[in-house]
Amino acid sequence: MKYSKINGTGHAVPRQIYTNDDLAKIVDTNDEWIVSRTGIKQRHISTDETTTDLAYNAALKAIEASSVTLNDIEMVIVATVTPDHAFPGVSNLLQKRLGLDEIPTFDINAACSGFIYALNIADKMILSSAYNHILIIGAETLTRLTDWSDRNTCVLFGDGAGAMVISKSETPGIKDIIVGSRSDDEGHLICDSPALKNPYENKISQQDHIHMNGREVFKFATRVMPSTIVNLLERNNMHKDDIDYVVAHQANKRIIEKASKDVGIPMDKMYVNIQNYGNTSAASVPIAIDEAIRKGKLKPGDTFVTVAFGGGFTYGGALIKL
Ligand code: ACO
């Protein structure tokens, strides 16, 4: 029986940091509101770094932390909703910068759950025995889609990238993955592409920034995060005490606290770094996992659950032994 495992992680963020006090100079908000309602204290915002720049820096660190070299990488998958171009994809641009041979490289969009979807694809590709080492990345410059006049959303987001080398292994590894989606047909979390524009139609896009019904997203998140953690445990005959850590998508500290309470896993086992980064969408989970590993919170042999939700509405979770 073959498995896949995490074989190296890395992350990168833009140089420029903006605090809540910085945002209070451009919209009617304040540090107390943002910290108490979200847990966010600051975020990194791209000035000149592209999504590909961030993905590249995170990828180099993940390769360096792994047991392989760039020559061993057989596929690159990038989860992003903010590629530099509609095409070529971030993964295709990375291929040249990383000096990779002719291997499959592609982007996927599953919003904030994108990294778990990428992990699922990499895991299944490795289990099929077609591949040995796959580089997966969650990378975003979400602040390009932010409406900087909307205090309901602009305080929430930040930019960054997280990367992992996923490799074939004799032992688990990635023990189980759940991915799913429930159509957000009412558009509670939406950002339009350019409007239909051709010689016969010229429609004006109404929503070229992120639009969010925060309360509806909050309700979805607080339902799906605990249920995904519980499903992963039940499917694998595990008890919550068997879990060393939960690394959740960093969208709102209150969402993580609610999941902790509902599943009965104490907050000191829930990794939280939203105070430093805000919500970095598909980059949030791999940034948090890499940081937890580098800080020694997640150690070789530990078993952890990672879980995410996002636009779509998509969701996903994975049960992983390091
Ligand atoms: N500063 C000060 N006041 C604010 C701010 C702000 N930045 N934002 C909203 N308010 C005000 C509102 O206008 C409202 O005032 P009112 O009562 O006079 O109308 C009041 O605060 C309360 O607003 P609520 O929306 O009820 O605040 P809530 O406690 O629900 O928190 C939040 C809002 C933080 C957005 C929360 O709903 C949330 O986190 N939702 C989930 C968001 C999320 O996870 N999004 C994922 C995005 S993923 C992606 O986009 C790729």
Side-chain angles (χ1 to χ4, degrees):
M1 179 76 178
K2 291 274 184 280
Y3 302 92
S4 77
K5 67 164 188 189
I6 296 177
N7 179 16
T9 61
H11 81 268
V13 286
R15 288 180 303 277
Q16 188 67 49
I17 292 173
Y18 286 92
T19 64
N20 293 343
D21 288 338
D22 292 324
L23 295 197
K25 292 179 191 147
I26 58 169
V27 285
D28 181 13
T29 190
N30 56 74
D31 181 60
E32 195 280 327
W33 192 96
I34 302 172
V35 172
S36 63
R37 299 293 182 109
T38 72
I40 300 167
K41 293 182 179 160
Q42 62 171 47
R43 70 287 292 145
H44 293 252
I45 295 183
S46 284
T47 46
D48 56 355
E49 300 97 337
T50 63
T51 299
T52 304
D53 293 333
L54 298 172
Y56 175 73
N57 290 332
L60 290 184
K61 289 180 189 163
I63 299 277
E64 194 188 334
S66 77
S67 64
V68 300
T69 66
L70 273 168
N71 290 336
D72 298 311
I73 298 297
E74 297 158 315
M75 176 182 286
V76 180
I77 309 170
V78 175
T80 185
V81 297
T82 48
D84 303 355
H85 315 286
F87 57 86
V90 172
S91 53
N92 312 125
L93 298 174
L94 266 186
Q95 182 168 14
K96 179 155 172 73
R97 279 176 73 174
L98 291 170
L100 296 170
D101 288 338
E102 280 188 33
I103 56 169
T105 62
F106 58 96
D107 292 6
I108 60 161
N109 174 346
C112 302
S113 314
F115 189 81
I116 310 270
Y117 274 64
L119 182 66
N120 187 42
I121 297 168
D123 177 58
K124 302 306 175 286
M125 293 283 186
I126 287 172
L127 296 191
S128 76
S129 290
Y131 297 89
N132 297 298
H133 306 290
I134 299 180
L135 176 63
I136 60 170
I137 303 167
E140 303 281 16
T141 46
L142 210 63
T143 59
R144 290 192 287 136
L145 304 179
T146 301
D147 178 352
W148 290 101
S149 65
D150 176 14
R151 69 176 181 172
N152 291 291
T153 52
C154 77
V155 301
L156 301 176
F157 304 114
D159 301 328
M164 268 182 203
V165 178
I166 305 296
S167 295
K168 186 169 278 185
S169 166
E170 295 299 323
T171 52
I174 315 292
K175 291 178 164 217
D176 195 9
I177 303 182
I178 291 174
V179 283
S181 66
R182 289 174 205 167
S183 177
D184 175 22
D185 56 349
E186 292 177 59
H188 292 309
L189 186 51
I190 188 165
C191 181
D192 270 358
S193 299
L196 194 61
K197 198 173 177 196
N198 59 45
Y200 315 104
E201 292 288 342
N202 194 359
K203 296 190 172 153
I204 293 168
S205 173
Q206 300 298 319
Q207 317 206 72
D208 54 355
H209 297 297
I210 297 169
H211 286 253
M212 185 180 74
N213 180 338
R215 284 181 195 172
E216 287 301 323
V217 179
F218 196 92
K219 270 196 258 172
F220 170 68
T222 50
R223 273 199 300 264
V224 82
M225 290 236 299
S227 65
T228 302
I229 297 170
V230 169
N231 282 347
L232 280 168
L233 293 177
E234 284 179 359
R235 275 163 51 142
N236 292 279
N237 297 317
M238 287 177 75
H239 187 262
K240 57 183 166 41
D241 295 343
D242 300 328
I243 298 300
D244 295 298
Y245 238 87
V246 174
V247 186
H249 171 44
Q250 307 285 311
N252 187 323
K253 192 175 177 201
R254 288 190 294 138
I255 294 174
I256 298 172
E257 286 168 345
K258 180 81 169 62
S260 151
K261 187 161 168 273
D262 288 356
V263 183
I265 294 179
M267 271 308 281
D268 62 8
K269 282 190 171 185
M270 309 289 289
Y271 193 74
V272 178
N273 67 0
I274 191 171
Q275 65 278 8
N276 295 326
Y277 302 107
N279 176 352
T280 57
S281 185
S284 147
V285 157
I287 290 175
I289 293 173
D290 179 52
E291 203 178 71
I293 289 173
R294 284 175 194 265
K295 285 186 171 174
K297 305 260 181 199
L298 275 176
K299 298 175 287 302
D302 280 356
T303 298
F304 73 100
V305 168
T306 184
V307 61
F309 67 91
F313 287 138
T314 57
Y315 62 92
L319 178 66
I320 300 171
K321 189 175 167 80
L322 258 190

